[in-house]
Amino acid sequence: MATTRVILSYPWNVGGGKGVGKGSAEEELGISEKILKIARKELREDACAREQCLHQLREWIKKNPDIQDVRMDDKFLLRFLRVKKFSIPMAEQTLLKYLNFRRTFSHMSHKLDFLSPAVNELISAGYIFASPVRDRNGRRVVIAFAKNFDPSRHCSADMARAHFMTYETLLEDAENQILGFTHIGDMSGVSAAHITCWNVTEFARIVKWGEQSVPMRHKEIHIVNVHSTVKYVVDFAKSLVSKKINDRLSFHVNVENLVKKVDKECLPLEMGGTMPMAEMIELWKGELAAKRDMLLSLDDMVLLSDRGIIRSRDNNNNNNNSSTQMDSIAGSFRKLEVD
């Protein structure tokens, strides 16, 4: 079964942009009228906004001496405009933060090659993948199983690359940019080794910066099987993200509780769905293979200076709070290492 056959058979893709003018973004990207209506309602997006904002963003990129070799195609630039509802200043800031994020964490966000042994092993094991079936809202569902990450074989950089590879691949699709994502994380099997493979300061920066820098619309986040021994790590992560993200977080005591809130068809057989996880993983590998060259080309983009990034006004207060939290969590990390 081809990947596209599973995904494109979903009713959300009916329409294929009928009535759209030749050469338009809708026709080129195959966006249905149903999804265009959502874009207009939620993102203030229409043909005029796209044309004008893309032009302004491109002109800003051309004149900005701090960035070079940035992708200028519609598909790439629209991810920043859509996530900021076509606010030019906010899209510019998100692009700068995205490039700075990639520069700062280059050991985790560069060389996103799914054929590299370490990452390929994680993908094949089912650590993280996207379900080939969209949910009732038309969203792609990103599924992660903590137990399929072996901390004796992999490090935090391997984990992060698997995540960034997933997100970058999915963000190449216009429908995903518009509709956003549903995330499901199964925390069963998490051990002290999983937690201590991360440096606490780097973990905090990844979580906090990631929300601000990766242009994704996180619509639902479902966490299942959180053991009481690692609840403090989850609480720490929650303290780093915005209220909007926290409001979209749902915790479930088991898979039976999860399937009451999530479409079973999107889940692997092992979580109550119908398609075996192994089949889902193979379909996901097909998507990664199709986007491999694009993922590797992202490394060509360069941020020469972060001087254009506007810092938060309450940066000092946030730093103080984060420092206290990190001191506390670091103590817990050290306790785990001893235990």
Side-chain angles (χ1 to χ4, degrees):
M1 183 187 299
T3 307
T4 52
R5 194 177 307 160
V6 177
I7 298 169
L8 298 182
S9 64
Y10 201 84
W12 278 93
N13 296 290
V14 173
K18 289 183 180 180
V20 175
K22 184 178 180 180
S24 67
E26 292 96 331
E27 182 180 72
E28 179 186 347
L29 299 175
I31 304 176
S32 72
E33 183 57 34
K34 192 166 190 175
I35 295 174
L36 288 174
K37 287 180 180 178
I38 294 174
R40 284 193 288 271
K41 180 180 178 181
E42 297 186 9
L43 308 179
R44 301 193 292 265
E45 176 177 351
D46 56 29
C48 181
R50 274 195 305 274
E51 181 179 355
Q52 293 184 4
C53 291
L54 282 169
H55 174 73
Q56 292 180 52
L57 190 55
R58 284 194 180 97
E59 289 302 305
W60 173 79
I61 292 172
K62 290 175 184 176
K63 296 175 183 178
N64 193 319
D66 295 331
I67 55 181
Q68 65 182 32
D69 297 326
V70 171
R71 282 176 57 181
M72 300 282 268
D73 58 283
D74 289 4
K75 193 179 295 184
F76 180 75
L77 297 181
L78 280 169
R79 62 171 73 173
F80 299 96
L81 289 168
R82 284 171 172 147
V83 81
K84 292 303 178 184
K85 300 183 179 181
F86 285 80
S87 164
I88 294 293
M90 294 177 72
E92 291 170 352
Q93 282 297 303
T94 304
L95 176 55
L96 288 175
K97 290 177 180 179
Y98 167 83
L99 295 173
N100 191 45
F101 186 88
R102 285 182 52 84
R103 181 179 70 165
T104 304
F105 302 106
S106 59
H107 61 300
M108 297 183 171
S109 61
H110 283 212
K111 299 180 180 178
L112 300 179
D113 188 353
F114 89 103
L115 294 178
S116 64
V119 176
N120 187 265
E121 187 174 306
L122 284 177
I123 299 297
S124 299
Y127 167 62
I128 185 170
F129 58 92
S131 171
V133 182
R134 295 179 182 272
D135 67 13
R136 66 173 65 91
N137 296 303
R139 301 174 193 140
R140 292 300 298 272
V141 180
V142 180
I143 304 172
F145 287 91
K147 65 183 179 183
N148 293 336
F149 177 90
D150 184 350
S152 69
R153 296 179 59 85
H154 298 284
C155 62
S156 58
D158 296 335
M159 181 188 291
R161 275 199 298 271
H163 280 267
F164 292 144
M165 186 180 301
T166 300
Y167 304 151
E168 292 284 6
T169 298
L170 293 171
L171 281 170
E172 281 295 292
D173 186 281
E175 293 183 16
N176 298 338
Q177 294 175 7
I178 294 169
L179 299 175
F181 300 90
T182 294
H183 302 269
I184 298 174
D186 189 328
M187 299 288 285
S188 60
V190 171
S191 66
H194 284 83
I195 299 167
T196 55
C197 76
W198 281 91
N199 170 282
V200 63
T201 303
E202 189 167 62
F203 174 79
R205 293 173 74 191
I206 284 280
V207 173
K208 192 174 183 66
W209 288 22
E211 181 189 350
Q212 303 170 5
S213 308
V214 181
M216 297 179 70
R217 303 189 72 208
H218 307 288
K219 303 299 285 186
E220 295 180 35
I221 305 170
H222 299 273
I223 308 297
V224 62
N225 293 322
V226 179
H227 195 276
S228 58
T229 57
V230 295
K231 186 178 181 298
Y232 70 90
V233 178
V234 175
D235 290 340
F236 176 58
K238 287 176 62 180
S239 74
L240 299 168
V241 297
S242 66
K243 182 181 183 300
K244 179 176 72 174
I245 293 296
N246 272 299
D247 289 344
R248 295 176 182 180
L249 268 168
S250 298
F251 292 89
H252 309 276
V253 294
N254 51 42
V255 172
E256 289 73 21
N257 184 257
L258 171 71
V259 296
K260 295 177 182 178
K261 302 292 183 180
V262 178
D263 299 330
K264 292 177 66 173
E265 293 79 7
C266 305
L267 301 175
L269 180 63
E270 294 80 353
M271 294 185 84
T274 57
M275 184 184 295
M277 185 167 68
E279 187 175 343
M280 286 188 169
I281 292 169
E282 287 306 308
L283 291 170
W284 176 237
K285 283 184 176 182
E287 292 190 61
L288 292 174
K291 296 293 190 295
R292 180 171 180 261
D293 291 342
M294 177 280 298
L295 288 173
L296 293 174
S297 71
L298 294 173
D299 296 351
D300 296 336
M301 299 186 294
V302 179
L303 178 71
L304 302 174
S305 171
D306 64 357
R307 60 184 175 179
I309 297 176
I310 299 174
R311 312 298 176 183
S312 174
R313 292 180 180 177
D314 61 344
N315 198 41
N316 290 333
N317 290 334
N318 285 341
N319 283 343
N320 289 336
N321 292 337
S322 296
S323 176
T324 301
Q325 291 167 338
M326 281 190 285
D327 286 345
S328 175
I329 201 80
S332 299
F333 271 45
R334 285 191 290 272
K335 184 178 185 300
L336 278 173
E337 289 172 339
V338 172
D339 292 345

